[in-house]
Amino acid sequence: MPIDPYILLLLATVGLAALLPARGTTAEVASGASTAAIALLFFLYGARLSTREALDGLRHWRLHVTVLACTFAVFPLLGLAARGLVPVILTHPLYQGLLFLTLVPSTVQSSIAFTSIARGNVPAAICAGSFSSIVGIIATPLLAASLLGGSGGGFSADSLVRIVLQLLVPFLAGQLLRRWIGGFVTRHKKVLGLVDRGSILLVVYTAFSQGMVQGIWHQVSPLRLGGLLAVEAVILAVMLLLTWYGGKALGFGREDRIALQFAGSKKSLAAGLPMASVLFGAHASLAVLPLMLFHQMQLMVCAVIAKRRSHDPGATGVSAPGPAAGSRTAVGTGTRSG
C-alpha cells in the first residue's frame, strides 16, 4: 500500500522542526500563528457542516449512537487497559499520547471514502462522522480532564477555557455564518483544503519545535516506537472486529455495518492535532506522535478492507436514500488528513 502523501509532508515537517526548531522570538511568532490557524481550522469545519445533512441522517440514530459509543467509550476503555503496559512496553509520555489518541473524535472524509468504496451507507457515514466531530469538541477535552488530569502534560482547567475560545467559538461562528459563506466555502473547497493542511503542518512544526528545544526526544527509542506501533495495531484490530461483528449482533444491515466499521474504528488527525496543541501546550510533541502513527495505519488497513468489502456477494452499490447520497461519494482515500 502506498503511503499517504500527506503523511510524508507531516514527517518532513517533523524533520524540519528537528533540524531548525523555532526558538525565541521565532517560537513566539510560530505559536501565535499556530493559535490563529487552529481557530481558522475549526471555523472552516463549522462553515462546511451542512445542517440539512445532519438532520437528514437523524433517522439512523441507532447507528450514530453506536459510533459515538465506540469512539468515546470503547476506545477510551482500551486506552485505559493499555496502562498496564507502562513501563515495560510504553513510557509514561507515550502512554499519555496513546490515551489521548483514544479520546479523539472519528474522521469524516476518510470514513466517507472507505464506506463509498465498500458500497456501504454513505449518508450515514457522513452524518456519523459529522456528529462525532461535533461531540468531540466538547467530549474530548472533558474526557482528557477526567482521564489525564494533572498528568496530561500541563493540562488544567485553563485548557478547557482555551478549547472553548480556540475551538468551540470558531466552530459555532462558522455554523452561524454558513448561510452567507457556505456557497463560497463549497466553491473554493480545494483551496480551503490546502489552508486546512497548511494549518495542521504549522501546528505540527510548532509542537515538535517545542519538543526539540526541551530535549523531549531523548525519551523515545526505536524499541519504544516499535512497541507503540504493536499496541496501536492491536487496538485497531479490536475496534475493526468489534464494529463489524458487534454491528451484526445489533441487527444492522450490511451497508450500516460498513459505515459503523469505518466511522467507529478511526480517529481524526485533523481534529486531534489542534486539540493536542491546545490541551498539552509545550508537551504536545509526544502527545501527537501516537495519533500520527495510528492515522497512517488506519488508512492502510481500511483501504484493504474497503476494497475487499466492495467484492462481497451482497454488495449492491446502492446506498441508503437521502439528499446526501449522491453528493459526496467520490472522496479520495489519501487526500485528506482527517
Side-chain angles (χ1 to χ4, degrees), residues 13 16 34 64 77 82 135 141 179 239 262 271 274 283 321 336:
T13 303
L16 178 63
S34 177
H64 303 323
L77 288 175
V135 173
R179 177 180 178 182
M239 291 306 301
F262 291 126
H283 301 270
R336 292 295 303 268

Side-chain angles (χ1 to χ4, degrees), residues 48-58 60 63-64 67 106-113 115-116 120-134 259-260 262-263 319-320 322-331:
R48 289 189 183 115
L49 177 62
S50 171
T51 305
R52 187 183 69 178
E53 285 181 355
L55 293 177
D56 289 337
L58 286 178
H60 299 293
L63 178 64
H64 303 323
V67 170
S106 179
T107 64
V108 180
Q109 291 295 99
S110 53
S111 294
I112 297 168
T115 300
S116 176
N121 190 335
V122 175
I126 293 173
C127 295
S130 299
F131 291 157
S132 179
S133 297
I134 296 172
L260 171 61
F262 291 126
S319 299
S327 62
R328 296 179 63 179
T329 58
V331 182

Side-chain angles (χ1 to χ4, degrees), residues 149-173:
S151 62
F155 184 85
S156 65
D158 292 339
S159 299
L160 292 177
V161 177
R162 292 198 298 271
I163 281 286
V164 172
L165 295 178
Q166 294 184 38
L167 306 185
L168 185 58
V169 170
F171 177 85
L172 293 177

Side-chain angles (χ1 to χ4, degrees), residues 15-22 205 209:
L16 178 63
L19 296 174
L20 298 172
Y205 175 75
S209 288

Side-chain angles (χ1 to χ4, degrees), residues 55-111:
L55 293 177
D56 289 337
L58 286 178
R59 67 181 184 275
H60 299 293
W61 66 268
R62 286 183 63 246
L63 178 64
H64 303 323
V65 169
T66 306
V67 170
L68 291 176
C70 291
T71 303
F72 298 112
V74 181
F75 252 116
L77 288 175
L78 293 176
L80 291 173
R83 179 66 179 84
L85 303 176
V86 180
V88 178
I89 297 177
L90 301 174
T91 63
H92 187 69
L94 285 179
Y95 169 70
Q96 294 291 326
L98 180 70
L99 182 55
F100 173 74
L101 151 70
T102 65
L103 310 180
V104 171
S106 179
T107 64
V108 180
Q109 291 295 99
S110 53
S111 294

